[in-house]
Amino acid sequence: MEIYIIFRGEPPPEWKQIPGVKAVKADELDTIEGRFALVVGDEELARRLGVGVLTEEEARELLQHLKRQLGAAQ
């Protein structure tokens, strides 16, 4: 399963290094139907898409958590 992390601007490069995560710019998004998706920092977009929203701080925490999990799995 791939998780979509949607950013208003260009996704930070470190998100592109996480296996199973597809970090995309909102204006490049094609479809998220049937996918798990979270929007970073744009509640209105998240509401329109019907997905969850993360603050910038929550997104950083999630990224750190994923990196720790990947490090433990290696």
Side-chain angles (χ1 to χ4, degrees), residues 5-70:
I5 305 292
I6 305 163
F7 293 86
R8 283 182 276 185
E10 194 64 39
E14 58 266 21
W15 279 100
K16 301 214 181 232
Q17 301 169 8
I18 306 294
V21 172
K22 184 165 178 103
V24 297
K25 278 176 68 169
D27 61 356
E28 295 175 348
L29 186 64
D30 51 3
T31 182
I32 57 166
E33 189 172 325
R35 294 185 167 90
F36 185 82
L38 297 166
V39 172
V40 177
D42 190 335
E43 289 184 39
E44 182 180 323
L45 176 60
R47 196 172 14 261
R48 283 196 324 252
L49 295 173
V51 300
V53 65
L54 297 171
T55 64
E56 295 283 338
E57 178 62 29
E58 290 168 330
R60 281 190 293 276
E61 289 175 11
L62 176 59
L63 178 63
Q64 293 308 312
H65 174 76
L66 292 171
K67 285 181 175 181
R68 281 192 303 275
Q69 292 299 312
L70 287 171

